[in-house]
Amino acid sequence: SLPPVSGMPHGCTWGLWNRPESKKDELGTLNLLTPSVKVAARAEIQAGISVGINWSMENCQDPHSNRRKPEHRIMELPDWVGHDDEVTMNTQGGSQWDGFRHWAHQPTGLYYNGVTHAEIMDNTKETRNGIDQWTAHGAIVGRGILLDYLSWATERGISYSPIERHPISEKDLEAVARAQDTEFEEGDILLIRSGFVKWHNEASEEERKKGTVNGSEWAGLEGNRESVEWLWNRHFAAVGGDANVFEAWPAKDERYRLHDNLIALFGTPIGEMFNLEELAE
C-alpha cells in the first residue's frame, strides 16, 4: 500500500510524513504517536505502578562488535564536599534506542528519508535524523505491549538459547498475543521478551563473554517478507525488547534484514537490551 520511492525497494516510507511547510520528516513511525493515541493509552492505566526497564550499562562489561565498555569516574570537587561524575561509553553498551543515524539501508548506503553517510559524518552539515527530534516531538510516549515469548515458548516445551540463532516468527508473536489476551492497536510500542537479560543475569563471567564479546548469533524476530509486512501492517510506532540485536542474527535474507527495513526504510526506532524481567512478572 506504500507509494514507490525511486531507487528504493518496495516498503519504503520516505516522503509519507513530509510536510510542505517544513523540512523532511525525521520522526518516521513515531508520527503514529498522535495526541489521541496517547489519550487512549492513558485510559488503560489500572494499577498506576511504574516499572523501570532500563538495563544499566554496567551490566554488559564485554560488549560485542569491538565496542568500548563503559568507564565511570567519580571526581571529588576541590574545596567542597561533593563530586562530579565522568562517564565514557558507547551508546550501544546498555539499554538504548537505535536511532535513524545508527543504521543505513545497506545496499544503497542511505539512511531514513534519504540522508547520506557523508551528511552523518560531516559535522559542518545540519544535523538530520537526530534523536533530539524525537524529544522535541514529545519523546516516545504511548501504549506499550509486552509479548512474553520466553514464557510462551517455555510453557510449550520450546527450548532454545538466547545466544544462539533462534528465529521468532510473526505467527509466533500473534500466538503469544492470543495466549496473553493482548490486542494490538495502531501506534503501539512493541516489546518482545526473548530471554537475553535473564540469560545474562544467570550466566557466569565466562558464559557471558561467549554471548557478548565472543558472540555472533542471537535469538530474535526473523527477518523475512512475512515479518516485515506484519510489522508494517500492525503499525507499531516503535519496537524493542531484551535482546541485544532485536532480530535473529545473523540475518539470513539481506532484502528483509530488519535493521534495514525498520530503521532505514520505515523510520521505526529499535530498542535493545531492555530489562523486561520485572515487567513480565
Side-chain angles (χ1 to χ4, degrees):
S1 62
L2 288 169
V5 176
S6 178
M8 301 303 294
H10 180 67
C12 183
T13 70
W14 299 358
L16 186 65
W17 288 291
N18 287 350
R19 295 175 176 83
E21 70 279 5
S22 62
K23 60 184 181 180
K24 288 186 176 181
D25 177 68
E26 299 177 67
L27 298 175
T29 53
L30 294 181
N31 282 288
L32 298 173
L33 295 175
T34 62
S36 61
V37 165
K38 296 175 185 179
V39 170
R42 181 189 64 181
E44 295 198 20
I45 298 173
Q46 298 179 11
I49 299 172
S50 299
V51 178
I53 61 173
N54 178 64
W55 198 48
S56 171
M57 62 183 181
E58 296 173 354
N59 281 299
C60 203
Q61 287 297 308
D62 297 292
H64 65 87
S65 301
N66 295 317
R67 288 170 174 144
R68 183 175 179 176
K69 69 179 183 180
E71 297 176 5
H72 178 201
R73 293 179 59 203
I74 300 175
M75 305 171 61
E76 292 186 271
L77 294 178
D79 305 321
W80 300 95
V81 181
H83 71 273
D84 286 343
D85 294 88
E86 284 191 353
V87 178
T88 302
M89 61 177 290
N90 184 304
T91 55
Q92 297 285 315
S95 299
Q96 28 83 27
W97 286 104
D98 282 353
F100 303 156
R101 296 166 65 89
H102 171 62
W103 192 273
H105 176 247
Q106 299 301 301
T108 62
L110 295 175
Y111 296 79
Y112 175 66
N113 229 352
V115 173
T116 67
H117 192 67
E119 288 179 84
I120 297 288
M121 301 305 296
D122 189 345
N123 291 331
T124 66
K125 298 287 187 181
E126 180 184 7
T127 299
R128 288 178 57 195
N129 284 352
I131 61 172
D132 59 301
Q133 294 301 314
W134 304 356
T135 303
H137 182 66
I140 301 178
V141 178
R143 177 182 185 258
I145 59 170
L146 171 65
L147 297 185
D148 190 352
Y149 174 80
L150 176 62
S151 294
W152 178 87
T154 300
E155 291 169 0
R156 286 155 181 77
I158 301 172
S159 179
Y160 69 95
S161 169
I163 61 169
E164 295 177 355
R165 193 185 190 282
H166 174 76
I168 301 170
S169 72
E170 80 289 346
K171 292 184 176 65
D172 292 332
L173 295 183
E174 288 284 341
V176 174
R178 288 193 299 271
Q180 297 178 173
D181 197 24
T182 297
E183 297 183 357
F184 297 102
E185 301 288 348
E186 182 172 306
D188 281 346
I189 300 163
L190 170 67
L191 297 177
I192 302 171
R193 179 174 178 251
S194 57
F196 179 79
V197 169
K198 182 178 186 295
W199 164 82
H200 192 278
N201 290 344
E202 298 173 352
S204 66
E205 183 176 348
E206 287 304 311
E207 289 171 335
R208 288 175 178 174
K209 288 182 179 180
K210 180 182 177 181
T212 53
V213 66
N214 296 326
S216 59
E217 295 187 358
W218 294 279
L221 180 58
E222 181 71 296
N224 53 32
R225 178 173 180 172
E226 290 76 16
S227 64
V228 169
E229 290 182 349
W230 179 79
L231 288 163
W232 175 253
N233 290 333
R234 282 300 185 186
H235 297 305
F236 297 117
V239 302
D242 58 350
N244 61 341
V245 186
F246 180 74
E247 62 181 298
W249 198 263
K252 294 294 187 182
D253 188 340
E254 182 180 87
R255 168 62 182 89
Y256 294 107
R257 185 168 42 226
L258 295 186
H259 274 60
D260 291 43
N261 285 268
L262 286 168
I263 299 174
L265 299 187
F266 288 0
T268 299
I270 296 179
E272 295 165 338
M273 289 190 282
F274 291 162
N275 184 359
L276 304 177
E277 295 309 289
E278 183 179 356
L279 189 62
E281 292 179 358

